[in-house]
Amino acid sequence: MSEADLIIRRARLLTLAPLKDERPRAGVAAGDVGAVDDGWVASRDGVVVATGHGATWERLDRVPSATIVDAGGAVAMPGFVDPHTHLCYAGQRWDEFVTRKSGADYLAVLERGGGIHATVRATREASDDALADLVARRLATAASLGTTTIEVKSGYGLEPAEELRQLRVIARAAKTCAIDVSPTYLALHALPREHADDRKAFIAEAAATVALVASEGLAEAVDAFVEQGVFDTKEVRPLAKAAHDAGLAVTVHADQLNDVGATEFAARQKARSADHVANASADGLRALARAGIPAVLLPGSAFFVGYTPPDARRFLAADVPLAIATDHNPGTSPLVGMPTAIALAVTLCGMTPHQAIVAATINGAHALGRGERTGALVRGRRADLILLRTDDERELAYGLGAPLVTAVFSAGTPIARA
Ligand code: NIG
Ligand code: FE
């Protein structure tokens, strides 16, 4: 075994180790966090080399300068994976928030040229430097709250040239941040009002942009908002085909506010994940379960907008693997950290704390195609891990966003410490 340069010992260790295979966890395994009391984890050059319990860590070969952390019984677990965010934007939507809280409907505001369009205007006006700075700051906040892998979507450019600019800004911010970023081209988020009369041409141009995005390495996946009055599955099909042709994954904003068959569509397209799914049909759930595709629940947006949250138990009963994410965006979910997403997944969606922890780590990694790279503390994976200020991980769900994360390691490097 290679010599360890980082050892965390005397921890309540949650390994999230795969049970039989590397598939996303569902059914009876959905809440298995692989807890080891008085556990330890060791890494070398940012990669986990071994885990164990008791004093066996003393037998490890280690470099003379190895860092040895005594967790004192506190929880050590994989860093959070946040597989769905829109954190590349400028401006705020306080006014819309107040209007909606006074009764205005989310899709009606969008239809009138507010909502997503308001953020598009503000984001287009922001310079590359200003936008990169906003993204970098939001990434740093997420990291300080325990996120070590995060997806970031474009989607507030709409016009392909502006989407490309935003993806380049995301790449720039990702390079300077300490955590692993998975960028997504959100190609069909809303129809620009200027294109009301040439809808078809706009959609075709978005699909044609996918090859360019892929050739520049600007995204790992392509996304679309499939919703009543936004885009339908037929319109999104050519985009999904372009993604597959370019070797990119597909992910879908599916059935968030209405059942429009988007969850079944995601399964048919062999999507990497189907997200939101608050109104997915029973057929949609069966299709996801059959294909082993994770549903990404976004309780922050249900909470903030006030629609009926996805019922996790329906998905669990149907054997659909579940991930959770913040959906951080200025319109529907200003949530900045995964601990609050975990708390809401438990209180609003009906997950157990352990199911929510699985959903926030290993299953989130699967939702980003990183199920064999991170999300679990087992030999060979990135040493992405966090320490909590508690010896009972269920406090993450109970604490409603309490500052429980005391240390964050990204690929073995300490990046944040409370
Ligand atoms: O995930 N629903 C579509 N997209 C985002 C919200 C975008 C916005 O309102 O700015 C979401 O909820
Ligand atoms: Fe979203």
Side-chain angles (χ1 to χ4, degrees):
M1 196 199 314
S2 46
E3 299 170 307
D5 57 19
L6 171 68
I7 299 167
I8 294 173
R9 66 183 188 94
R10 247 170 32 107
R12 173 164 165 84
L13 184 70
L14 311 185
T15 64
L16 278 296
L19 302 173
K20 299 192 290 284
D21 52 34
E22 301 282 357
R23 274 184 307 179
R25 219 157 281 189
V28 285
D32 198 317
V33 295
V36 182
D37 280 320
D38 192 12
W40 56 260
V41 53
S43 67
R44 169 68 196 251
D45 294 332
V47 177
V48 175
V49 290
T51 60
H53 68 94
T56 49
W57 67 272
E58 289 171 13
R59 297 203 295 264
L60 289 171
D61 289 331
R62 44 186 194 263
V63 301
S65 60
T67 305
I68 301 175
V69 179
D70 180 351
V75 173
M77 60 177 286
F80 300 122
V81 179
D82 187 348
H84 182 135
T85 83
H86 305 250
L87 47 75
C88 183
Y89 65 88
Q92 293 300 344
R93 307 239 293 268
W94 321 122
D95 292 344
E96 174 195 327
F97 172 57
V98 175
T99 316
R100 281 199 282 110
K101 287 302 147 195
S102 319
D105 174 68
Y106 177 78
L107 288 174
V109 171
L110 178 64
E111 170 80 34
R112 286 200 300 272
I116 292 170
H117 297 293
T119 299
V120 166
R121 287 189 288 274
T123 309
R124 283 181 187 169
E125 274 165 29
S127 68
D128 288 9
D129 286 353
L131 200 52
D133 189 52
L134 285 167
V135 176
R137 273 198 266 170
R138 290 178 186 132
L139 289 171
T141 303
S144 74
L145 295 168
T147 296
T148 49
T149 303
I150 193 165
E151 187 247 23
V152 180
K153 300 176 196 295
S154 67
Y156 291 116
L158 307 185
E159 298 293 350
E162 181 62 19
E163 287 293 325
L164 286 166
R165 179 179 83 99
Q166 294 181 14
L167 285 167
R168 291 186 190 115
V169 164
I170 292 168
R172 191 175 134 189
K175 228 179 264 154
T176 60
C177 86
I179 60 175
D180 189 24
V181 175
S182 172
T184 297
Y185 171 35
L186 173 44
L188 294 176
H189 199 193
L191 184 75
R193 308 202 91 203
E194 313 81 82
H195 289 274
D197 297 328
D198 61 350
R199 194 178 169 88
K200 270 200 174 138
F202 175 76
I203 293 168
E205 214 194 323
T209 305
V210 171
L212 191 57
V213 166
S215 71
E216 258 194 69
L218 290 173
E220 297 177 6
V222 174
D223 192 357
F225 186 17
V226 183
E227 179 56 68
Q228 217 166 76
V230 188
F231 295 103
D232 65 28
T233 55
K234 211 167 133 248
E235 289 172 323
V236 174
R237 214 180 293 140
L239 180 75
K241 183 174 183 312
H244 289 311
D245 290 349
L248 300 186
V250 170
T251 180
V252 184
H253 277 71
D255 304 327
Q256 177 179 11
L257 301 160
N258 299 281
D259 173 20
V260 291
T263 306
E264 295 92 314
F265 171 76
R268 277 199 304 278
Q269 295 298 331
K270 304 209 169 3
R272 192 176 67 181
S273 68
D275 298 23
H276 281 292
V277 294
N279 293 284
S281 66
D283 282 347
L285 269 55
R286 271 192 292 274
L288 290 182
R290 259 198 310 271
I293 295 172
V296 179
L297 305 189
L298 305 162
S301 54
F303 173 74
F304 192 71
V305 175
Y307 59 85
T308 307
D311 177 0
R313 290 182 204 154
R314 279 180 74 216
F315 290 82
L316 291 161
D319 268 350
V320 178
L322 289 178
I324 57 179
T326 60
D327 193 22
H328 177 85
N329 75 76
T332 66
S333 183
L335 262 195
V336 288
M338 287 297 281
T340 312
I342 289 173
L344 292 178
V346 171
T347 52
L348 290 183
C349 305
M351 300 177 93
T352 67
H354 281 171
Q355 288 165 349
I357 287 171
V358 167
T361 54
I362 185 64
N363 277 10
H366 281 290
L368 291 182
R370 283 162 163 73
E372 295 180 20
R373 192 199 300 187
T374 188
L377 298 177
V378 293
R379 188 178 163 76
R381 302 216 180 195
R382 270 172 69 104
D384 292 335
L385 62 100
I386 59 176
L387 298 180
L388 303 185
R389 180 184 287 125
T390 177
D391 59 7
D392 190 330
E393 62 282 0
R394 291 175 301 181
E395 203 174 336
L396 279 171
Y398 183 86
L400 277 175
L404 291 176
V405 176
T406 54
V408 183
F409 295 82
S410 175
T413 302
I415 57 164
R417 183 180 289 271

